[in-house]
Amino acid sequence: MLRFARALALLLAATLPALALADNGKPLRIGITLHPYYSYVSNIVGDKAEVVPLIPAGFNPHAYEPRAEDIKRIGTLDVIVLNGVGHDDFADRMIAASEKPGIQTIESNANVPLLAATGIAARGAGKVVNPHTFLSISATIAQVNNIARQLGKLDPDNAKFYQANARAYAKRLRALRAEALAKVTEAPGATLRVATIHAAYDYLVRDFGLEVTAVVEPAHGIEPSPAQLKKTIDQLKALDVKVIFSEMDFPSAYVETIQRESGVRIYPLTHISYGEYTKEKYEVEMKRNLDTVVQAIQENRA
């Protein structure tokens, strides 16, 4: 119902003349829900708008419960940029409880191709959408362009500025991906099977021609029971999984057990959902992720 109401509000807004929300001479205050979107929007708007996280740094967005002071902050915003496909559902509750339940929102993933969740945890559960689109450079560029277009409609005086910044940002991101792919002189062999601790990295590894064969955690932050862990280790052996990508920011105590019992190699990746919000965070942490995937491919060729 909340998604329908937001979609209706956006449809009505599209039929009206373009109008900057902050028409009182003050720059737009743009809310964001996740760290990657802070970087996206900061690079798009430069000094023409203010970017405001809905939740403070240090909170895990998967386990976040809205606080009164965070809900109150929504009343000071002009628009909120959302992941909108399952990673920031807490925002729905915050918006509904705020002073601005009809606040403008931008669905970053509108028209972005989505993957189904894959791996052991998703089997038999039907098609579950993977919301971690920000872990793909291609999907990120599509989101950046979408955000820039929508902000330009709300703030037409700065629309060209936003579009130019989005193009420059996308160019840097493409260069990061090209640099990483250039280090992989041959495509990974079909026998290189990878698993992940958390179902986040399908978009990332697909950029390298890999598929996630198994996911260990039943859900993010939910550790498998001893019986589930044994079953997972048996499946990893049966599937001949060579590599597990673990979670750098939220390490799990059982990872060493998996490595010892299955013989797979562990490579830590970042979910880009922890620490301070910065303009540079996405580029810095995605470069680290890309380098880690390159290392895993190079060290585990058949």
Side-chain angles (χ1 to χ4, degrees):
M1 182 62 70
L2 288 170
R3 291 294 170 87
F4 175 78
R6 288 213 308 265
L8 180 60
L10 287 174
L11 178 62
L12 291 173
T15 66
L16 299 175
L19 176 67
L21 292 177
D23 56 3
N24 56 4
K26 295 182 179 179
L28 286 174
R29 281 176 57 85
I30 305 167
I32 58 88
T33 55
L34 303 171
H35 289 74
Y37 297 97
Y38 185 93
S39 295
Y40 297 176
V41 178
S42 296
N43 279 280
I44 291 168
V45 302
D47 60 357
K48 302 295 185 183
E50 184 178 358
V51 188
V52 182
L54 262 62
I55 63 176
F59 283 82
N60 179 354
H62 283 285
Y64 173 75
E65 288 298 326
R67 305 182 308 169
E69 58 264 42
D70 299 331
I71 294 171
K72 185 176 181 180
R73 192 177 303 116
I74 291 177
T76 71
L77 303 176
D78 298 303
V79 61
I80 299 175
V81 174
L82 298 171
N83 167 269
V85 290
H87 205 297
D88 52 11
D89 287 343
F90 60 83
D92 289 334
R93 303 195 301 277
M94 295 178 72
I95 292 170
S98 75
E99 299 173 2
K100 288 185 176 181
I103 190 170
Q104 288 269 22
T105 60
I106 294 174
E107 300 277 352
S108 302
N109 282 290
N111 302 317
V112 174
L114 302 176
L115 297 176
T118 58
I120 291 171
R123 290 174 187 171
K127 185 175 182 179
V128 181
V129 171
N130 187 331
H132 302 88
T133 51
F134 47 83
L135 291 171
S136 161
I137 295 292
S138 299
T140 284
I141 291 171
Q143 291 178 83
V144 167
N145 289 334
N146 181 44
I147 294 167
R149 283 193 300 269
Q150 297 305 317
L151 288 177
K153 293 177 182 178
L154 297 174
D155 186 6
D157 287 345
N158 289 311
K160 290 184 178 180
F161 178 79
Y162 297 156
Q163 291 286 353
N165 284 350
R167 286 193 295 270
Y169 190 42
K171 183 177 181 180
R172 296 202 305 273
L173 295 177
R174 288 191 186 94
L176 280 182
R177 181 181 57 191
E179 179 184 1
L181 292 176
K183 296 175 182 177
V184 184
T185 55
E186 298 177 9
T191 59
L192 179 53
R193 295 180 177 177
V194 305
T196 64
I197 295 298
H198 168 42
Y201 301 109
D202 301 59
Y203 293 96
L204 173 61
V205 300
R206 279 203 176 195
D207 283 348
F208 292 88
L210 296 170
E211 297 282 345
V212 174
T213 302
V215 178
V216 176
E217 289 185 347
H220 184 56
I222 305 300
E223 294 192 1
S225 67
Q228 288 173 325
L229 186 58
K230 182 182 184 305
K231 182 179 179 181
T232 296
I233 290 170
D234 290 343
Q235 288 175 310
L236 293 175
K237 290 178 179 178
L239 293 168
D240 194 27
V241 170
K242 306 290 188 184
V243 168
I244 288 186
F245 292 113
S246 64
E247 178 59 59
M248 180 185 299
D249 302 318
F250 305 100
S252 303
Y254 58 82
V255 172
E256 290 184 3
T257 300
I258 293 176
Q259 186 175 27
R260 182 178 64 252
E261 297 296 329
S262 68
V264 299
R265 293 186 178 184
I266 306 294
Y267 295 85
L269 296 172
T270 173
H271 194 186
I272 318 181
S273 61
Y274 187 74
E276 296 300 318
Y277 294 92
T278 69
K279 181 178 180 180
E280 302 80 16
K281 186 178 185 69
Y282 184 78
E283 289 170 89
V284 170
E285 299 204 1
M286 271 302 290
K287 183 180 188 310
R288 183 187 304 157
N289 279 346
L290 292 167
D291 288 345
T292 299
V293 177
V294 168
Q295 180 186 359
I297 291 172
Q298 291 175 337
E299 292 180 352
N300 295 276
R301 289 191 189 280

